[in-house]
């Protein structure tokens, strides 16, 4: 809830002011914080996805290039891998 809203507003402010450099990092960090914060109310494994998003966003902060690659890994590849993991885990149960 709150981290996702705060991160969204911060991203909007960054974009409106023309500061595009850290936008992908901010998206990943605040999305990760939101997942970590809500994992108690959903599947507890969501927290691990949140930590992975958070770590990826922090790594992205220190990389001047490849922001789109980090963003695609975070919002694409990590979700795909997490979904495959959940499917495999639920089929075994």
């Amino acid at each position: 809830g709150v981290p996702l809203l705060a991160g969204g507003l911060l991203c909007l402010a960054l974009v409106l002011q023309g500061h595009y450099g850290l936008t992908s990092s901010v998206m990943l960090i605040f999305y990760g914080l939101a997942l970590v914060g809500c994992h108690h109310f959903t599947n507890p494994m969501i927290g691990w996805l949140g930590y992975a998003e958070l770590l990826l966003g922090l790594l992205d902060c220190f990389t001047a290039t490849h922001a789109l690659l980090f963003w695609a890994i975070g919002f694409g590849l990590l979700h795909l891998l997490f979904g495959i993991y959940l499917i495999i885990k639920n089929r075994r149960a």
Side-chain angles (χ1 to χ4, degrees):
V2 175
L4 199 56
L5 179 62
L9 291 174
L10 179 58
C11 286
L12 180 62
L14 288 171
V15 168
L16 290 176
Q17 294 179 20
H19 303 291
Y20 306 108
L22 292 175
T23 306
S24 65
S25 303
V26 170
M27 286 181 183
L28 290 165
I29 290 169
F30 279 90
Y31 181 63
L33 289 172
L35 291 176
V36 169
C38 77
H39 84 276
H40 297 291
F41 306 107
T42 62
N43 187 329
M45 293 302 296
I46 294 287
W48 290 107
L49 177 61
Y51 289 121
E53 298 280 353
L54 185 58
L55 178 64
L56 193 63
L58 290 172
L59 289 173
D60 187 19
C61 286
F62 296 100
T63 306
T65 58
H66 300 83
L68 184 60
L69 178 62
F70 279 96
W71 195 84
I73 291 170
F75 290 109
L77 183 64
L78 286 180
H79 281 88
L80 287 171
L81 294 175
F82 184 72
I84 291 168
Y85 170 76
L86 286 181
I87 289 171
I88 291 170
K89 183 181 175 199
N90 286 335
R91 285 190 179 170
R92 289 184 190 168

